[in-house]
Amino acid sequence: MENQFTVNNPATGERIQTVQVDNEEKVKDALKRGHEAFKTWSQINAHKRSELLNKWSLKLKEHKEEIATIMTKENGKPLRESRGEVDYAASYIDWYAEEAKRIYGRTIPANTESKRIIVTKQPVGLVAAITPWNFPAAMMTRKAAPALAAGCTFIVKPAVETPLTMIRIVELAHEAGIPKDVVQCVNGRGSVMGKLFTESDYVRKITFTGSTAVGKTLIKNSADTIKHVTMELGGHAPLIIAKDSDLDLAVEQTIASKFRNAGQTCVCANRIIVADEVVDTFAEKLAAAVSDLKVGNGLDETTDIGPIINQKGYKKIKSQMDDALENGAEVLTGNKYDVDEEKGTYFVHPTVLKNVKTSMVMMHEETFGPIAPIIPFQSLNEAVKIANGTPFGLAAYFFTNDYRTGTYLSEQLQFGIVGWNDGAPSAAHAPFGGMKESGLGREGGLEGIEPYLETKYLSIGNLDFSGE
Ligand code: NAP
């Protein structure tokens, strides 16, 4: 990479802005400053930190339209979704502004009169974050808010496709009064920044959202300095529809889960597993609703499905589609592409496929596109086997109005987030994260602040006053 890179609009191919790459010297200096700032930030009382976080959140809300427009231009997602993401990003800051005041320790009764045992929580130190392009705002605040609330300092590297949203959000943090060295943004290639972050003695924690392959590299590279790690990695969500489900609700929620951000989300329903008794009716209803979705530039308020982020993403979708069609999948709607290689724009029309088999590539690899493959099942055990037949374990969904079926599925599914009659379970106040190769740790809820805290045990002796 040169000393700068260009951010393009994936819907038009137009150049939006050029961003300066931070060289090694600059990044090392930023890490040192983040480390130094920790000494003062960690000592500021929790109520003051909370107040600053609240001011930051307010800034995001005041600048919602501006940030949403930047996001749609660099990421491509429809404005409606970008506005929703700004709200979602702010909700993490709101939640952790409150949690800052609830970082409690405890006292433990000692087994002798001469001792007192006190447990306290302390911030881990400087946190370095790397985030992906698909949620340019929320993936950052989900990490920065608990880190700052805990008393950590924070440095982030956004994806090269979508740095502008993040740059603006960090500026707003500074405008809100959070010191410049407490939250910083550096730009450049992930492979370079990842190395600088993991090799640095100043960094005590790495928090990453992105692909499983990169997550594994970061875990390995964090081993030499024994850093804390939180990993939000890839997913391949199953969505099971039992024979007794409310099919209209299932269609509506499948669309909410599958087609948000043109299917480029880690929690997207990628494998739609439907009871044999209702598969034809469900497929027909889903295809009819999906064929109404409008593809286009996200800046157009009527757009439902924006562009695919880049050629690499498009090629992956296309090769999964080619494989499925060669092996007998039937297209109910979609399988249309508006591609302009010269401009670098890639639109994939939302697609519903039937007659999908477990051997097809799209049943094993994360799709990251608006393709909904439907596969039938005969027994609940078969549905569970298909659903769990992946190294991923991030999100799973199922639809049923039968409490026995629901209880069984909720217990059997090996996934960190499970939606029962719910295609959109994410919330700042709930723990988000994956099992198996989908990650380590949780973000959001009570659980989301713990990874930024160390536990310190203080034992005070010589406290027996009985003889005095
Ligand atoms: P990616 O290739 O892993 O990129 C994500 C980030 O990692 C980018 O900032 C990228 O930098 C950086 N990166 C790339 N190579 C690196 C390396 N060797 N060392 C350190 N950092 C490196 O992922 P993506 O394909 O852009 O994003 C989609 C993935 O994210 C999917 O797998 C999706 O499921 C996952 N995701 C997970 C969650 C979750 O919460 N579990 C949420 C959203 C997305 P560059 O700018 O150089 O590319």
Side-chain angles (χ1 to χ4, degrees):
M1 184 177 265
E2 310 272 302
N3 56 4
Q4 57 184 35
F5 61 94
T6 306
V7 182
N8 293 324
N9 182 333
T12 61
E14 281 159 3
R15 173 182 164 279
I16 310 172
Q17 201 177 306
T18 300
V19 173
Q20 211 61 37
V21 170
D22 293 301
N23 63 24
E24 185 171 330
E25 197 186 330
K26 269 197 149 178
V27 177
K28 284 188 169 166
D29 178 57
L31 292 170
K32 186 159 186 263
R33 284 188 287 110
H35 171 71
E36 289 297 323
F38 175 70
K39 293 173 192 158
T40 44
W41 180 253
S42 57
Q43 296 307 310
I44 290 175
N45 76 71
H47 290 256
K48 178 73 186 159
R49 290 201 301 269
S50 169
E51 199 183 304
L52 288 168
L53 284 168
N54 279 323
K55 285 186 180 160
W56 184 23
S57 168
L58 197 62
K59 289 266 176 205
L60 250 73
K61 291 168 193 161
E62 283 166 5
H63 291 265
K64 177 169 161 178
E65 204 55 30
E66 177 203 343
I67 302 170
T69 306
I70 298 173
M71 197 187 303
T72 290
K73 281 189 178 165
E74 64 178 354
N75 166 285
K77 67 176 70 179
L79 256 181
R80 195 175 55 245
E81 289 187 22
S82 296
R83 291 185 189 114
E85 189 181 334
V86 179
D87 288 338
Y88 183 55
S91 74
Y92 280 95
I93 308 179
D94 292 340
W95 174 262
Y96 286 108
E98 294 308 311
E99 287 304 293
K101 295 179 273 184
R102 298 191 180 90
I103 300 170
Y104 302 134
R106 72 190 204 277
T107 58
I108 299 172
N111 61 351
T112 153
E113 289 70 24
S114 70
K115 286 195 179 190
R116 305 288 182 276
I117 298 174
I118 298 169
V119 178
T120 55
K121 298 281 181 178
Q122 295 190 337
V124 296
L126 171 63
V127 173
I130 298 179
T131 54
W133 49 265
N134 63 344
F135 289 96
M139 297 303 102
M140 184 268 196
T141 59
R142 203 155 88 167
K143 300 176 188 309
L148 300 188
C152 298
T153 47
F154 188 82
I155 185 163
V156 59
K157 186 220 93 75
V160 290
E161 290 87 352
T162 58
L164 306 177
T165 305
M166 182 94 74
I167 290 171
R168 189 66 189 119
I169 288 178
V170 170
E171 277 171 8
L172 291 174
H174 299 154
E175 284 175 28
I178 297 172
K180 286 209 159 143
D181 293 344
V182 167
V183 53
Q184 303 181 74
C185 174
V186 288
N187 284 292
R189 268 290 162 208
S191 48
V192 178
M193 298 291 168
K195 200 161 174 290
L196 291 169
F197 286 177
T198 48
E199 282 177 357
S200 171
D201 285 327
Y202 294 134
V203 175
R204 287 311 313 142
K205 179 177 174 70
I206 296 282
T207 174
F208 172 69
T209 298
S211 60
T212 295
V214 171
K216 287 180 183 178
T217 304
L218 287 169
I219 295 172
K220 281 182 200 148
N221 294 347
S222 295
D224 280 345
T225 47
I226 314 283
K227 295 189 199 315
H228 295 255
V229 290
T230 293
M231 295 284 146
E232 293 287 356
L233 308 177
H236 201 26
L239 186 150
I240 299 173
I241 295 172
K243 63 182 179 203
D244 59 78
S245 16
D246 173 340
L247 289 188
D248 292 326
L249 175 76
V251 166
E252 176 201 295
Q253 294 295 301
T254 301
I255 289 177
S257 167
K258 173 71 254 184
F259 295 103
R260 191 160 52 115
N261 204 4
Q264 302 169 108
T265 83
C266 53
V267 289
C268 262
N270 273 343
R271 300 172 292 143
I272 302 172
I273 307 162
V274 187
D276 227 7
E277 295 87 339
V278 294
V279 68
D280 289 337
T281 318
F282 172 79
E284 212 174 282
K285 281 175 181 268
L286 182 69
V290 167
S291 60
D292 284 342
L293 298 176
K294 190 175 164 226
V295 179
N297 186 331
L299 289 177
D300 177 343
E301 295 280 358
T302 63
T303 293
D304 297 303
I305 307 279
I308 297 304
I309 190 76
N310 54 28
Q311 189 197 47
K312 188 172 154 220
Y314 162 73
K315 280 194 166 167
K316 185 176 183 196
I317 297 164
K318 192 69 176 57
S319 78
Q320 286 194 5
M321 277 296 293
D322 291 346
D323 168 78
L325 296 178
E326 271 164 31
N327 288 291
E330 182 192 334
V331 177
L332 298 186
T333 186
N335 190 29
K336 259 182 69 190
Y337 310 88
D338 301 325
V339 171
D340 188 329
E341 286 289 356
E342 216 167 288
K343 285 190 192 161
T345 56
Y346 305 88
F347 290 88
V348 174
H349 286 248
T351 299
V352 178
L353 295 178
K354 233 176 90 172
N355 293 343
V356 171
K357 301 180 190 81
T358 51
S359 55
M360 291 174 183
V361 177
M362 65 175 59
M363 294 299 281
H364 300 283
E365 279 181 10
E366 197 179 18
T367 306
F368 251 54
I371 313 294
I374 297 176
I375 184 163
F377 70 84
Q378 261 101 47
S379 71
L380 274 186
N381 281 337
E382 186 192 359
V384 168
K385 194 170 165 210
I386 297 172
N388 287 341
T390 168
F392 295 112
L394 187 56
Y397 311 88
F398 62 81
F399 290 82
T400 179
N401 284 333
D402 181 292
Y403 81 94
R404 292 187 73 245
T405 303
T407 304
Y408 181 71
L409 289 176
S410 61
E411 287 173 359
Q412 292 300 312
L413 290 169
Q414 296 161 352
F415 295 81
I417 306 157
V418 178
W420 178 350
N421 289 339
D422 183 6
S426 305
H429 40 278
F432 184 108
M435 295 181 180
K436 293 154 75 178
E437 293 196 17
S438 286
L440 285 175
R442 296 291 180 269
E443 293 184 332
L446 277 181
E447 290 82 353
I449 199 160
E450 274 298 322
Y452 297 94
L453 296 165
E454 293 273 20
T455 298
K456 183 179 276 180
Y457 153 42
L458 173 68
S459 177
I460 311 175
N462 193 24
L463 289 173
D464 185 356
F465 295 93
S466 58
E468 293 180 20

